[in-house]
Amino acid sequence: MVRTRFAPSPTGYLHIGGARTALFCWAYAKRHGGTFILRIEDTDRERSTQDSVNAILDGMGWLGLDYEGPYFQMDRLARYREVAEKLVADGKAYYCYASREELEQLRERQRARGEKPRYDGRWRPENAKRAGLKPPPDAQPVVRFRNPDAGEVTFKDLVKGGITVANGELDDLVLLRADGIPTYNFGVVVDDIDMAITHVIRGDDHVNNTPRQINVYHALGAGLPLFAHVPMILGADGERLSKRHGAVSVTQYRDDGYLPEALVNYLARLGWSHGDEEMFSREQLVEWFDLDHISASAARFNPAKLAWLNAQYLKAADEARLAALAEPFLTQDGCDLEKGPPLARVVALLRGRVNTVKDLADAAVYFYRVLDPSEQLRRQHYAPDAKPVLLDLRQRLSKIEWSRERIGGELKAVLAEYKLKMPRLAMPLRVMVTGTAETPPIDATLELVGKEEAVRRIGKELERYPD
C-alpha cells in the first residue's frame, strides 16, 4: 500500500513550496488508496516553536489535506538512540570524540590545500587505534556512520531520472549528536523505515542528501522507498521565490481572502499538469495525479494567475458561504450588517467583479455605511447642468415601488425627457450614492442600497452639488 509523508520543520510558517510538496504527497496517496502521514521534524530545538507547529496544522487544515498523525521526532529520541547503538554494535557506525575546534581546524587546512572540506575518519576504530587516540575524559561523543569507502550509490529518481554518486564523495556523516538528537539524514531514514513509507516525494534541495540516506538504509538492511524530487518554485522573474514574489504563509492567503480550493488548484499546476486542464476540483486532482507528469524544470509562481483563478472560484462558490467569509472583513471595517441588505444578495451582485473575498468585502462597504465621495470625484462627475435632472430623478425615485425594474424605468424616462445618455446621469448618481465611480449596474446598486437610504444620500450630495 502506498504510504507518503510530509515532514516539515516547525521553524516558521507553512509556505507555498512546502504546501505544494504536501499536496503532491497527499494527492498521490489518495490516488492509490494509501496513507498520507504528517511528521513534524522538531529536532532543531533552538528554532522550533509551538507557534510554527500550530501554523503548519492550521495551514494543512485550511487546505483540506487530511493526514495520519502528526508525529513528532522529539517523541522518538529513544528509538534513534536504539538504532544508532545497533549500528555501532554491528560495526557500521562508531563514536567520534572530535571537538568542534578540531573539526574547524581540519576544514581550514583542507580549504587551504584546495580540497573539499570533509571529515577525515580519524575516530574510525582502526584509525583511532593506529593513531593512539583515546577518548577524552567526560567527553560526550557523537555517533558517526561508517560510509562505504568504495563503490557508488545509484538510484532512479521518479522525476529526475537516474542519479549516481561515488561513495568517495561522501564522508562519515553524524547520525546522533552528543545530546542524543538525531541529524536530519539519520532521523528521516529511521522514521521512513518505521512508518513504512513507500514514496518519498520532496523538494529537490534534498537530492544531495539521498545517497547518504540510501547508504544508511542499506546498513540497516531495509528496503528503499521510491524517491521523487520536485523542482523548486521560482518567482515570475526567474529568481528564487521569496516574500516579494508572494511566498507568504498559506494562512496569509486565507486571511487575504483566497479560497482554499483555488490555492489547491493553483499549487497542483505548479510543476504538474493533466493535459491542458487549468481548473479542476480536488476530486479530479486525486483521480488524475501521477508522478510521471511532474515537470523536471522549476515552476514559476505567478500571483496574477492565482488571483485570476481565485476569481473563477468566487464566481462559482455558494453565496451564503461567501457572505460568511466576507462578514468578518466588513465588521472589521466598521460596517453594521443589520443596517443594510442581506449580505448574500450583495455577494451575488459583486462577486463577478473581484478577485478575493477581501476585495468583495471592500466593494460591499457602501451598502452598510456611507462613503463620502472625494472632492476629486465630485469635480470630475458633478456637472452643474445635470443638477436639475438629478433633482427631478430624486423626486421620482421617492414615489415609486422599490425594485430594480421600476428604478431602471424611471432612469430611462428621465434620460428620454432630458435627451441625455446614461453615463451623463449614472456617473454622478453612482458617486452620490456609493462614494465611488465603479459599481455594478446603477439600478441594481440602488435597489440593494434601499429606497430611503438612496434618496437620503442623493439629497445630501445635492446640497453640495455645484449650481
Side-chain angles (χ1 to χ4, degrees), residues 351-421:
R351 66 177 176 178
R353 306 168 61 87
V354 297
N355 290 332
T356 69
V357 177
K358 188 175 186 302
D359 293 342
L360 179 62
D362 289 343
V365 168
Y366 58 75
F367 287 105
Y368 300 99
R369 65 178 177 86
V370 176
L371 295 180
D372 289 326
S374 68
E375 288 303 322
Q376 180 181 352
L377 279 177
R378 288 186 176 113
R379 287 193 300 270
Q380 184 178 353
H381 297 291
Y382 286 8
D385 59 354
K387 186 173 184 178
V389 185
L390 290 163
L391 284 165
D392 187 7
L393 177 64
R394 179 175 180 269
Q395 281 295 106
R396 296 185 186 214
L397 292 178
S398 67
K399 297 175 182 179
I400 64 172
E401 180 182 338
W402 203 250
S403 69
R404 181 175 182 179
E405 293 74 17
R406 289 297 305 275
I407 295 167
E410 290 301 326
L411 287 170
K412 291 176 183 177
V414 169
L415 291 171
E417 181 174 334
Y418 289 90
K419 297 181 174 56
L420 298 174
K421 294 188 180 297

Side-chain angles (χ1 to χ4, degrees), residues 3-10 14 18-19 21-23 25-26 29 35-42 50 52-73 75-76 80 191-192 195 197:
R3 290 172 65 85
T4 65
R5 51 56 166 189
F6 175 53
S9 175
L14 177 62
T21 299
L23 177 63
C25 294
W26 175 87
T35 302
F36 170 60
I37 292 168
L38 176 62
R39 187 172 71 225
I40 306 296
E41 298 191 340
D42 56 346
Q50 187 59 46
S52 294
V53 172
N54 294 341
I56 291 167
L57 300 181
D58 199 12
M60 296 285 285
W62 182 66
L63 290 173
L65 306 183
D66 53 309
Y67 50 81
E68 176 185 303
Y71 299 104
F72 294 85
Q73 285 191 323
D75 294 338
R76 292 171 44 79
Y80 305 127
D191 290 341
D192 285 346
M195 296 176 185
I197 300 302

Side-chain angles (χ1 to χ4, degrees), residues 84 227 464:
F227 294 96
R464 308 187 61 169

Side-chain angles (χ1 to χ4, degrees), residues 445-462:
T445 301
L446 289 173
E447 180 190 34
L448 282 185
V449 169
K451 179 179 180 178
E452 181 179 339
E453 182 64 13
V455 170
R456 187 188 71 78
R457 293 184 188 183
I458 296 169
K460 178 184 175 184
E461 281 300 303
L462 280 170

